[in-house]
Amino acid sequence: MSGAEGVPAQRSSRHIRTANRYRVLRRVLAAGPVSRPELAAATGLSQATVATVTGELHRLGMVRAAGFEDSAGGRPRALLAADPAGGTLIGVDVAETYVHAEVFDLTLRVRASTRLAPAPGEDGPARVVERIARAVGRLLADDGAPAGAPVLGVGVTMPGMVDREGGVSVFAANWDWREVPLLDLLTRRIPYRLYLDNPLRATTVAELWFGAARGRQDAVVVNLGTGVGAGLALGGAVHRGASNGAGEWGHTTLVHGGRVCRCGRRGCVESYVGAPGIIRTLTELAPDAAAARAGDQTAVIAALAAGCRAADPVALRVLEVWADQLGAAVADLVNLLDPEVVVLSSWVAREFGAALLTAVREAVDRYALGRPAARAEIVLSPVEGNPVSLGAATFALEGALA
Amino acid sequence: MSGAEGVPAQRSSRHIRTANRYRVLRRVLAAGPVSRPELAAATGLSQATVATVTGELHRLGMVRAAGFEDSAGGRPRALLAADPAGGTLIGVDVAETYVHAEVFDLTLRVRASTRLAPAPGEDGPARVVERIARAVGRLLADDGAPAGAPVLGVGVTMPGMVDREGGVSVFAANWDWREVPLLDLLTRRIPYRLYLDNPLRATTVAELWFGAARGRQDAVVVNLGTGVGAGLALGGAVHRGASNGAGEWGHTTLVHGGRVCRCGRRGCVESYVGAPGIIRTLTELAPDAAAARAGDQTAVIAALAAGCRAADPVALRVLEVWADQLGAAVADLVNLLDPEVVVLSSWVAREFGAALLTAVREAVDRYALGRPAARAEIVLSPVEGNPVSLGAATFALEGALA
């Protein structure tokens, strides 16, 4: 904003045009072949605006004619669909233990994927850039974009803080990266438009386009993995904050003065509700339980989830304690932000599934104020596959529409 | 939105026009006599847009010509100022123990104010409406709007949940009001455009127009009174949430399973950092302290604040404990929302002033993640007088500009 008075930068005609394109294309992707009048009804845009925007999308090669439908005796209505061959998008999920890259057609269906696992210590910027470039090159060589489907962009997520605005440098604590000019480094290796962000925001944009936040004004995407975070989609768009750092719910306080968190502070939400926190609760409650000896973190969580399905008392007790803590922390999000929907996402949520959903719903009703609690739906993420690489590719799609 | 896809309703041309009017008038109010080129530079709008918007504001009678300034040898530049006589605005702060009403000129300077205190038990909707109407009538009779300064609207804040969209009914727990059609009741008594909301949002809009959130994209207004709340100004506008209930930070969890809160739940932020929470901390730490016997809640808080200024060890210890709890809870807002500025507002913040600011800054740096903590300014509210009635009148101003 650089000194301009407090009205969002996005409220310019150019940003409205972009937002309208998002709106129409999201609907086309959601509804399959769809007529222009249906698009107008679903998006709230005027028929004239829909005609303009679909014309633009057609010229961009992103939508194509898809036959006609009967219109109750009237003139048959032309249908539109997204054109899978209208472009190729690439999403790269860079994590501490792997690089997972996927190539998508324009309907965001996966055409191919690849995964590289680094040897220990290969976490310097040069090696990571090399790995990303190799993954992208392999994908395009193996699978190839369909003829005439240009690569519209490559989205890359990094485990850390990403500064999208200023040059795009990166801060990744676990790798001891500080102010690495990653975009510059990648640009030298990858000849496509690049979009950098972090996994939390990728998951959020994936829910906005393809998941439970679609069509919502205010949604919170609760990521439950090793780390935890809350992606915020407010006013129908990702809320980034002043330093693209919003959503660090994992390091908000659940128990003032409580458990030591890996961030060094005490009582953080993450130290209770992330996978290591759940396992700590298990070992506190029942150190001799079979689940506690199941193996690595992933195996223990899987064993607990299986235990819940089999009505194992220890597993159910862990779920009860965990869901109570998680529900209190989700209730804070509900009280503070008053969202329409809270989406439970990531691998830990997927493992526990419906049992988790029920327990969290009860806990949120216990902890949140009545009115926002009644308003907020709580759902499991409907996004299949890897939501991070999907979201990364979606950033590239958004960039191509802007 | 009623079914339309997830893009903010405000992203229509009409809403941009309104937002541009806000932007220009805010700047005119802030800068005093100002030239159009200065307005363009400060707002980030084009000179053509500024010309259009100032023309509209001129026709609405809200701005007037205010002489010329030298332009370094060039043609003298015409200056514009807000026209105090361009309209009259009324703000009514309805609290549980009083009705405070103020009449403002168009520069939001107070022309007159009045305060009515109800007898106990006079809290039914009919009596409250009667009191609001009486306060408004008295103000206009006593002071009168300046000749030719029409009453543009009356903003009213209510202590509870206010549904602005649907008919505008109110839920006020302490009065046992449920779904009262307050707007209908007021409309029968007050012949002006009415705007209803709650005090937290009024304080927030006051900071956006006249305080520390002016010119900011993302700000949090932390209200410290008997109750506490966090007004959210995100993307340069008040974030309301799905049921106009956002900002209930007072009932987010600081200590899972901790103190019983007046809401019936345990460990809420409010039960530690609101005035009664501070007093409870005082009586836990030093039940025999002189401050604890100072009188009612207001007197005890004033005695503690005076004690801090006089370096009284008990008062300083209470401040230390309180600021640590408050800092942890404010750090949660910083981690989650990544704001540019956190504004400490309301009477408790004003009592403690600079000592509170210093202690909270230190605590936030202790609890929040480094990057968002470094980004977030923390300031005391610069708004003078009653920010709630000012904010209520500002809702009326915004309504007149829409």
Side-chain angles (χ1 to χ4, degrees):
Chain A
M1 286 286 296
S2 60
E5 286 278 323
V7 169
Q10 65 265 29
R11 281 188 197 168
S12 69
S13 336
R14 191 169 143 263
H15 280 88
I16 292 183
R17 199 181 59 182
T18 301
N20 288 343
R21 288 175 173 185
Y22 288 3
R23 204 163 171 169
V24 169
L25 187 58
R26 274 184 205 168
R27 187 67 199 172
V28 171
L29 288 168
V34 59
S35 70
R36 288 180 183 79
E38 276 175 67
L39 282 173
T43 59
L45 297 172
S46 70
Q47 300 236 16
T49 302
V50 167
T52 304
V53 173
T54 52
E56 291 166 1
L57 294 173
H58 193 264
R59 278 190 298 281
L60 289 166
M62 293 182 172
V63 302
R64 58 178 171 75
F68 293 87
E69 69 173 4
D70 280 338
S71 175
R75 199 154 57 100
R77 287 167 164 179
L79 295 175
L80 291 168
D83 188 348
T88 295
L89 300 157
I90 295 172
V92 186
D93 168 15
V94 180
E96 283 161 25
T97 54
Y98 60 82
V99 169
H100 182 87
E102 295 187 306
V103 56
F104 298 85
D105 68 22
L106 198 74
T107 66
L108 277 295
R109 259 189 294 262
V110 177
R111 294 176 50 86
S113 66
T114 189
R115 184 178 279 245
L116 301 176
E122 292 188 322
D123 52 13
R127 304 301 291 268
V128 170
V129 166
E130 167 63 30
R131 210 144 63 230
I132 296 169
R134 193 144 39 94
V136 170
R138 186 192 287 183
L139 275 179
L140 291 175
D142 280 9
D143 172 74
V151 175
L152 299 177
V154 178
V156 177
T157 66
M158 295 295 299
M161 300 270 195
V162 176
D163 176 4
R164 276 166 65 102
E165 309 289 318
V168 192
S169 52
V170 159
F171 173 82
N174 287 4
W175 286 346
D176 203 25
W177 285 23
R178 277 157 215 281
E179 306 298 329
V180 172
L182 189 63
L183 189 62
D184 286 351
L185 299 175
L186 284 171
T187 300
R188 289 179 213 154
R189 300 293 311 273
I190 297 176
Y192 306 111
R193 282 291 297 273
L194 285 157
Y195 302 87
L196 234 67
D197 216 310
N198 83 358
L200 182 62
R201 263 166 286 285
T203 311
T204 307
V205 84
E207 291 296 335
L208 263 176
W209 277 81
F210 306 103
R214 189 157 64 186
R216 307 302 184 109
Q217 283 294 293
D218 298 317
V220 177
V221 181
V222 171
N223 261 321
L224 299 171
T226 307
V228 307
L232 310 181
L234 305 178
V238 175
H239 171 74
R240 300 183 171 283
S243 62
N244 197 31
E248 290 287 356
W249 170 72
H251 301 288
T252 64
T253 299
L254 180 62
V255 185
H256 192 54
R259 280 183 184 173
V260 173
C261 181
R262 62 173 175 158
C263 74
R265 297 171 190 83
R266 281 186 170 275
C268 292
V269 166
E270 183 168 299
S271 69
Y272 294 87
V273 312
I278 300 168
I279 293 170
R280 181 160 162 190
T281 299
L282 167 65
T283 53
E284 283 172 9
L285 289 172
D288 302 325
R293 299 187 305 274
D296 67 3
Q297 166 182 285
T298 313
V300 176
I301 294 295
L304 278 173
C308 287
R309 288 189 293 275
D312 169 66
V314 167
L316 289 176
R317 176 71 186 130
V318 171
L319 174 64
E320 186 186 4
V321 171
W322 173 46
D324 184 74
Q325 295 160 336
L326 178 58
V330 170
D332 289 355
L333 297 170
V334 168
N335 283 345
L336 190 64
L337 297 167
D338 189 13
E340 292 164 78
V341 64
V342 175
V343 188
L344 305 180
S345 174
S346 199
W347 65 273
V348 176
R350 206 177 292 158
E351 277 288 358
F352 283 88
L356 173 66
L357 189 62
T358 305
V360 168
R361 175 78 258 179
E362 287 173 6
V364 167
D365 288 342
R366 212 154 52 234
Y367 288 109
L369 297 175
R371 193 179 156 109
R375 187 68 180 78
E377 277 183 68
I378 302 178
V379 301
L380 293 167
S381 169
V383 173
E384 288 170 10
N386 179 346
V388 178
S389 49
L390 174 63
T394 306
F395 285 131
L397 175 61
E398 288 194 340
L401 288 169
Chain B
M1 287 287 297
S2 61
E5 287 279 324
V7 170
Q10 66 264 30
R11 282 188 197 168
S12 69
S13 348
R14 191 170 141 261
H15 280 88
I16 291 182
R17 202 181 57 182
T18 301
N20 288 344
R21 288 176 172 184
Y22 289 3
R23 204 162 170 168
V24 169
L25 187 58
R26 273 184 206 169
R27 188 65 199 172
V28 171
L29 288 167
V34 59
S35 70
R36 289 180 182 81
E38 277 175 65
L39 282 172
T43 59
L45 297 171
S46 70
Q47 299 236 17
T49 301
V50 167
T52 304
V53 173
T54 54
E56 292 165 359
L57 294 173
H58 194 265
R59 279 191 296 281
L60 289 166
M62 292 183 173
V63 301
R64 57 178 172 75
F68 293 86
E69 69 173 2
D70 280 339
S71 176
R75 199 155 58 99
R77 287 167 164 179
L79 296 175
L80 291 168
D83 188 348
T88 295
L89 300 158
I90 295 172
V92 186
D93 168 16
V94 181
E96 283 160 25
T97 54
Y98 60 81
V99 168
H100 181 86
E102 294 187 307
V103 57
F104 298 85
D105 69 22
L106 198 74
T107 66
L108 277 296
R109 261 189 291 262
V110 178
R111 293 178 50 85
S113 67
T114 189
R115 184 178 279 245
L116 300 175
E122 292 188 322
D123 54 13
R127 304 302 290 268
V128 170
V129 165
E130 167 63 29
R131 210 144 63 230
I132 296 169
R134 193 143 39 92
V136 170
R138 185 192 286 184
L139 275 179
L140 291 175
D142 280 8
D143 171 74
V151 176
L152 299 177
V154 178
V156 177
T157 66
M158 295 295 298
M161 299 273 195
V162 176
D163 175 4
R164 276 167 65 104
E165 310 289 317
V168 192
S169 52
V170 160
F171 172 81
N174 288 5
W175 286 347
D176 203 25
W177 285 24
R178 275 157 216 282
E179 306 298 327
V180 172
L182 189 64
L183 188 63
D184 287 351
L185 300 174
L186 284 171
T187 301
R188 290 179 211 153
R189 300 292 311 273
I190 297 176
Y192 305 111
R193 282 293 297 274
L194 285 157
Y195 303 86
L196 235 67
D197 216 310
N198 83 357
L200 182 62
R201 263 165 286 284
T203 310
T204 308
V205 85
E207 292 294 336
L208 263 176
W209 277 80
F210 306 103
R214 189 157 65 185
R216 307 302 184 109
Q217 283 295 294
D218 298 319
V220 177
V221 181
V222 170
N223 260 322
L224 298 171
T226 306
V228 307
L232 310 181
L234 305 177
V238 175
H239 171 74
R240 301 182 168 284
S243 62
N244 196 31
E248 290 287 356
W249 171 71
H251 301 288
T252 64
T253 299
L254 179 62
V255 185
H256 192 54
R259 281 185 183 172
V260 172
C261 181
R262 63 173 174 158
C263 74
R265 297 169 191 86
R266 281 184 170 277
C268 293
V269 166
E270 182 169 299
S271 70
Y272 294 87
V273 311
I278 299 169
I279 294 171
R280 183 161 161 191
T281 299
L282 167 64
T283 53
E284 283 172 9
L285 290 172
D288 301 325
R293 299 186 307 274
D296 67 5
Q297 167 182 284
T298 314
V300 176
I301 295 296
L304 278 173
C308 288
R309 287 189 294 274
D312 170 66
V314 168
L316 289 176
R317 176 73 186 129
V318 170
L319 174 65
E320 185 185 5
V321 172
W322 173 45
D324 184 73
Q325 295 160 336
L326 178 57
V330 169
D332 289 356
L333 297 170
V334 168
N335 282 346
L336 190 63
L337 297 166
D338 190 11
E340 292 164 79
V341 64
V342 175
V343 188
L344 304 179
S345 175
S346 199
W347 65 274
V348 175
R350 207 176 293 157
E351 278 287 359
F352 284 88
L356 174 66
L357 189 62
T358 306
V360 168
R361 175 77 259 178
E362 287 172 7
V364 168
D365 288 341
R366 213 156 49 235
Y367 289 109
L369 297 175
R371 193 178 157 109
R375 187 66 180 78
E377 276 183 69
I378 303 179
V379 301
L380 293 167
S381 169
V383 174
E384 289 170 9
N386 179 345
V388 178
S389 49
L390 173 64
T394 307
F395 285 131
L397 175 62
E398 288 195 339
L401 287 169

